[in-house]
Amino acid sequence: MVAQPPSAPLPSRVSLLDADRAVVAGEIPPPGALERPIRVDGSVVGWLALRPLSRPADPRDTAFLAAQVRGMIWLAGLLLLLAMTVAWAFARHLLAPLRDVEKAARKLSDGAFGGQLITHRQDELGDLVRHVNRLSEALAAHDTARQRWMADISHELRTPLAIVRGELEAMRDGVRPTDAATLASVHEEVMRLDRLVDDLHQWSMADAGSLSYRPARHDLAELLIEGVARFEAAAQRAGITIAIAHADQAAPVHVDADRMRQLIDNLLSNSLRYTERGGRIEARVFVEGDQACLRIDDTPPGVPEEALPFLFQPLYRVDGSRNRALGGSGLGLAIAQRIAIAHGGTLIAVASPLGGLRMELRLPLETA
């Protein structure tokens, strides 16, 4: 039986195949074409194939698709522009404090300390700005301290040098005789200069943590008794009484004996130097909790309360009776505090019930 062609032409996308998939009408379907069987009385007598649509066949469909594509392009462009605008604003919001931090860092590197940045942010960038502000404050304080330190050192060194120079020039010009008294005066100023240089050396090593320590177990009370014994003769000459009292309980500490003797000597020397004639110095050692405490009290003159926090600063002196005229270098207490800190302890100054100054050293108690 010969197949008859259909009475009406098939659409361009449709092909009619026989049962063996031979083309009866239309074009040969490409691979992947959609095929549906044609059944007669349950038997497949042919196939109907539908080729995929690659582009609209109707001009109206093509025009609609082109309009959709143009709309999507415009929408994508607007979204891209909006995204760029938001990204620029966000980047500006993030980079503004970073630019300020960069300028502040450049000023700090040029030595302009103390500048402050203003921020109200509570995020990480705000924390960064606040850290830079604290760094600027610390550098400004250190720079001020350095300038004051250099000025104080030059002043301390210039004073004895000026006296020695004046004495030597006076002897050279015949204004003063070159006798034992004049030479003794020059020698005294040279020794004062030597002590100052030695104290500066000790302080620089203590501040840098370069002092050597050989800690061992010692009784703090015994170290205090030794220290008081070293100053008894000087106290008698000054008309000052030194009284020592300590509990029967031992106060073992793990310290370097030589450094601890240096600390005690500095404290006793400070009290002896600034206590008025006829005054009294009381020292004692006691145990409080897990700490061994050494306390030294002296009689007037005292120290103003506002000056107490500055007593341990290098070359600091209180105006009035506790001054340079009494021979101190202004470094003894600073060195003593550094030694205390190196041993894990504390050294503080407060007003004494005796009317003068109280120095209190606290060290960790050595356990067996």
Side-chain angles (χ1 to χ4, degrees):
M1 176 179 179
V2 179
Q4 297 295 325
S7 58
L10 294 175
S12 59
R13 296 175 57 204
V14 178
S15 300
L16 181 63
L17 311 177
D18 61 11
D20 298 326
R21 286 187 169 80
V23 176
V24 176
E27 299 179 359
I28 299 176
L34 181 64
E35 296 182 351
R36 290 290 183 270
I38 301 174
R39 300 179 186 275
V40 177
D41 297 331
S43 301
V44 177
V45 297
W47 295 86
L48 193 63
L50 179 65
R51 289 191 299 276
L53 180 63
S54 58
R55 59 181 181 178
D58 194 309
R60 291 174 296 180
D61 294 339
T62 304
F64 175 78
L65 181 61
Q68 294 296 316
V69 170
R70 286 194 298 271
M72 293 178 63
I73 292 176
W74 276 103
L75 180 61
L78 290 176
L79 290 177
L80 179 61
L81 181 61
L82 178 62
M84 292 177 62
T85 303
V86 173
W88 176 83
F90 188 66
R92 183 179 179 84
H93 176 70
L94 290 179
L95 294 179
L98 293 180
R99 284 194 293 268
D100 294 338
V101 169
E102 180 187 5
K103 293 178 182 177
R106 190 178 300 113
K107 290 181 179 179
L108 292 178
S109 64
D110 294 337
F113 307 130
Q116 295 291 294
L117 301 176
I118 299 176
T119 182
H120 301 289
R121 301 174 64 114
Q122 300 300 321
D123 54 5
E124 290 79 2
L125 289 177
D127 293 338
L128 175 62
V129 171
R130 285 183 282 274
H131 289 322
V132 171
N133 287 340
R134 285 193 288 270
L135 174 63
S136 179
E137 290 177 356
L139 289 175
H142 290 164
D143 187 59
T144 302
R146 179 187 61 83
Q147 294 176 3
R148 182 183 60 81
W149 168 254
M150 295 302 296
D152 289 343
I153 289 178
S154 62
H155 181 70
E156 294 290 339
L157 294 175
R158 186 169 59 246
T159 300
L161 286 175
I163 296 175
V164 171
R165 177 182 176 183
E167 293 283 1
L168 292 177
E169 290 178 350
M171 287 188 289
R172 182 195 62 185
D173 298 337
V175 176
R176 295 197 62 180
T178 307
D179 53 15
T182 306
L183 292 177
S185 175
V186 174
H187 180 265
E188 181 181 351
E189 294 301 327
V190 171
M191 293 305 297
R192 177 182 296 182
L193 184 62
D194 180 72
R195 288 192 298 270
L196 175 59
V197 172
D198 183 66
D199 286 346
L200 286 172
H201 176 67
Q202 290 288 330
W203 159 251
S204 63
M205 294 182 64
D207 188 53
S210 301
L211 288 177
S212 60
Y213 294 92
R214 295 182 295 275
R217 185 184 178 91
H218 295 279
D219 188 351
L220 186 59
E222 293 181 0
L223 294 174
L224 177 61
I225 293 173
E226 295 174 4
V228 170
R230 289 191 293 272
F231 282 86
E232 282 182 346
Q236 290 178 0
R237 289 193 299 269
I240 298 173
T241 302
I242 296 184
I244 180 170
H246 60 89
D248 295 336
Q249 181 183 5
V253 289
H254 193 68
V255 297
D256 182 289
D258 291 335
R259 295 302 175 193
M260 197 52 52
R261 292 187 184 101
Q262 182 182 5
L263 184 153
I264 294 173
D265 287 353
N266 285 353
L267 297 184
L268 291 174
S269 175
N270 183 77
S271 291
L272 187 62
R273 183 179 298 115
Y274 297 116
T275 300
E276 294 176 348
R277 188 174 187 84
R280 181 179 178 83
I281 299 174
E282 293 184 0
R284 63 186 297 253
V285 169
F286 59 96
V287 175
E288 189 172 272
D290 59 350
Q291 293 181 325
C293 305
L294 184 151
R295 180 180 292 167
I296 298 177
D297 290 283
D298 58 41
T299 52
V303 175
E305 185 176 356
E306 63 273 11
L308 290 174
F310 305 101
L311 288 181
F312 298 101
Q313 292 185 1
L315 301 177
Y316 179 81
R317 290 186 179 87
V318 181
D319 292 336
S321 59
R322 293 178 180 257
N323 54 34
R324 180 182 296 104
L326 297 176
S329 66
L331 292 169
L333 294 182
I335 295 173
Q337 189 182 58
R338 290 291 179 175
I339 294 175
I341 293 174
H343 285 89
T346 60
L347 178 62
I348 62 172
V350 296
S352 171
L354 301 182
L357 186 66
R358 168 177 286 181
M359 291 288 178
E360 186 168 287
L361 168 69
R362 290 180 176 265
L363 296 171
L365 194 65
E366 176 77 350
T367 57

